[in-house]
Amino acid sequence: MSRKIKSQIVIALMAMASISGLYYLGNLQVQSAIPLEMAEKGDLIRFTGLCVASKENFAVLYNGNETIVLFETLEQGKVYNVTGKLTDPDKGYVEAFEINQTSAKNLPLETLTGAYWVDGYCQLLTPQRITLNTCLNASKGEKVQIQGLYYNKKFYVVNYARLGFEKSPEDGMPFLVTGSVLYGGNPATIWNGEEEIKVYLPYKQTLNVGDYVEVVGIARLYSTLTIYVDDKSDVRILGMARKSPIGEEKIGEIAYGSCAVKKSTKTYIGLNCTSLPLYGFSAKIGDTIHFEAIRRKNSLYCLECKVSRPREALENSICNPSPQPSKIEGRVEWVKFYSNGFGIANITNGKCWVLLKLPKSLGISLEEGDHVVTFGFHTTYREKPAFEVASKEDVIIG
């Protein structure tokens, strides 16, 4: 055998011996590793913990009771199994020989259930506010169940599950509201299909009547459910409320139609197609209006209204009485006033006539021969055809 071949065989045998020695030493180290609480300086320890802090070449692991410090770069929130030498028992410094990511099943994890919340930082509301070490892939206000460990006034999340939004409100807890805006401004009032909910919005933010919105905030169970919203991003405009023909609408829907005005006051008007008063628009008795209005509990509020036919365009109904708001036009044949101030005037047009009722409160003075146009309703007076008006503005003389 040549000298060269002998040399190669010797080198190979030495390498095998070296590998076997390292393997034996590694097994010996693993077999001789002891728990941290029993270890002294220089001992080989085995430790499983959650990474609660990590920077470049520096990491802290925590097992629910003790911590160790490694001069390694690890991922926060992950669980690691470490074998290494304890170099400083007081500071928990460990020189790691082996690091493996593992499951958290051997850690004393706590389970918490509450609402996920973001207010400058990520929290769990139980309703106690618990600071989380990380933000979750969950919606603000959504109910979640989390597992992890408390460390340094934070809860470090290992696992979590999303449980959806609560179906009913709890005082001091987040609640999601979806519905139509009945009253705008700040606070606003939302109808969710069952009840009115008052919503306090962030400074300078308002809601518009008729919008269909989604709002999340902290619920307070006063006589009226109240939601306090802390950020403008917690309000989403989803569109407009559902539209329905007048008479078919429900609370929170937008009613639409064309109707005649049968009553007009300083604050609302009455229509001949509904018993509900319409607020937010002015028109005169006899006008026909086209409208879109939000339905509230006992009223309508105008969103978009216009006079589609002014009352002046009505036909003279002196010969054809109608129960609807009407116009009569003619000449005063005679006028009679009683001692109590009430009066009547005979208004004639061709072969047709009607008695115009003149209550003292109207303050109207007519004379024989006056030409009169009036707007109001046909009625009777002592079984004779009559006409009544609501205000002095409904009588035009001359």
Side-chain angles (χ1 to χ4, degrees):
M1 184 180 296
S2 68
R3 182 176 299 177
K4 183 178 181 180
I5 293 175
K6 288 181 179 180
S7 177
Q8 290 175 344
I9 292 174
V10 170
I11 292 172
L13 290 173
M14 290 176 64
M16 291 175 63
S18 177
I19 293 171
S20 299
L22 290 173
Y23 178 78
Y24 174 77
L25 179 60
N27 282 342
L28 182 64
Q29 286 179 337
V30 171
Q31 291 171 3
S32 63
I34 61 177
L36 179 64
E37 63 269 18
M38 299 171 58
E40 297 179 355
K41 183 178 180 179
D43 286 344
L44 191 68
I45 63 107
R46 184 183 296 118
F47 186 89
T48 300
L50 173 67
C51 181
V52 294
S54 182
K55 297 180 180 179
E56 186 176 357
N57 297 324
F58 179 86
V60 178
L61 300 186
Y62 178 61
N63 68 357
N65 184 41
E66 298 172 302
T67 60
I68 64 170
V69 177
L70 305 177
F71 296 98
E72 305 282 347
T73 302
L74 302 177
E75 186 176 350
Q76 185 174 303
K78 300 295 184 181
V79 180
Y80 294 92
N81 193 359
V82 176
T83 301
K85 183 173 69 174
L86 183 63
T87 59
D88 189 334
D90 294 332
K91 296 182 179 180
Y93 289 167
V94 172
E95 180 185 350
F97 297 145
E98 185 178 2
I99 301 174
N100 295 306
Q101 190 173 321
T102 186
S103 70
K105 63 181 181 180
N106 294 324
L107 294 179
L109 300 180
E110 294 187 57
T111 300
L112 303 176
T113 301
Y116 179 60
W117 197 247
V118 181
D119 184 9
Y121 51 94
C122 298
Q123 309 163 58
L124 183 76
L125 272 59
T126 62
Q128 177 187 355
R129 291 177 180 254
I130 299 169
T131 303
L132 305 179
N133 73 303
T134 185
C135 296
L136 308 181
N137 182 22
S139 298
K140 185 175 180 180
E142 185 179 8
K143 187 177 180 181
V144 296
Q145 185 178 77
I146 63 176
Q147 289 183 309
L149 295 173
Y150 277 106
Y151 178 77
N152 197 23
K153 296 182 180 181
K154 286 185 180 181
F155 192 85
Y156 285 76
V157 181
V158 175
N159 302 304
Y160 70 93
R162 298 172 64 174
L163 305 178
F165 285 91
E166 293 285 7
K167 302 299 182 183
S168 57
E170 180 182 342
D171 192 59
M173 292 292 287
F175 189 61
L176 178 71
V177 173
T178 303
S180 304
V181 180
L182 297 186
Y183 297 88
N186 189 5
T189 300
I190 294 174
W191 178 262
N192 69 347
E194 297 180 355
E195 62 179 327
E196 289 186 357
I197 301 169
K198 185 169 286 187
V199 178
Y200 284 87
L201 302 161
Y203 180 61
K204 288 188 176 180
Q205 187 174 10
T206 60
L207 289 176
N208 296 320
V209 178
D211 282 346
Y212 194 76
V213 300
E214 181 182 85
V215 175
V216 65
I218 302 298
R220 291 298 179 187
L221 304 184
Y222 305 134
S223 57
T224 298
L225 173 60
T226 303
I227 303 295
Y228 291 89
V229 181
D230 67 3
D231 189 87
K232 63 180 181 180
S233 65
D234 298 334
V235 178
R236 292 178 58 210
I237 309 298
L238 304 179
M240 294 293 291
R242 182 177 181 270
K243 293 183 180 182
S244 295
I246 185 67
E248 299 179 15
E249 81 286 346
K250 298 177 182 178
I251 298 173
E253 295 183 347
I254 296 174
Y256 65 88
S258 292
C259 305
V261 178
K262 66 178 184 180
K263 185 176 184 178
S264 180
T265 73
K266 292 182 179 180
T267 56
Y268 70 90
I269 58 177
L271 303 174
N272 68 339
C273 56
T274 177
S275 61
L276 299 171
L278 174 66
Y279 290 86
F281 186 68
S282 297
K284 300 173 182 177
I285 291 177
D287 286 343
T288 297
I289 69 167
H290 180 78
F291 64 91
E292 290 187 359
I294 191 75
R295 167 69 190 275
R296 294 171 175 170
K297 279 189 174 181
N298 301 305
S299 65
L300 298 167
Y301 183 82
C302 176
L303 300 178
E304 186 175 340
C305 303
K306 65 178 181 179
V307 175
S308 57
R309 186 179 70 172
R311 63 184 184 174
E312 289 76 12
L314 290 171
E315 293 184 0
N316 188 0
S317 65
I318 195 169
C319 296
N320 300 291
S322 166
Q324 300 301 325
S326 303
K327 177 180 82 171
I328 65 168
E329 183 174 358
R331 186 175 61 84
V332 178
E333 286 290 322
W334 51 261
V335 180
K336 181 178 180 181
F337 284 93
Y338 297 93
S339 59
N340 61 2
F342 176 79
I344 56 173
N346 180 293
I347 310 298
T348 300
N349 188 305
K351 296 182 179 180
C352 302
W353 59 270
V354 71
L355 298 179
L356 177 63
K357 298 168 71 172
L358 300 171
K360 183 180 180 180
S361 58
L362 291 180
I364 295 176
S365 177
L366 293 178
E367 296 181 359
E368 199 175 296
D370 284 343
H371 182 269
V372 177
V373 178
T374 66
F375 303 93
F377 294 88
H378 287 276
T379 182
T380 59
Y381 177 72
R382 295 182 179 178
E383 300 182 353
K384 295 179 180 179
F387 197 80
E388 60 184 5
V389 297
S391 68
K392 187 174 183 178
E393 288 71 25
D394 297 325
V395 179
I396 301 172
I397 306 170

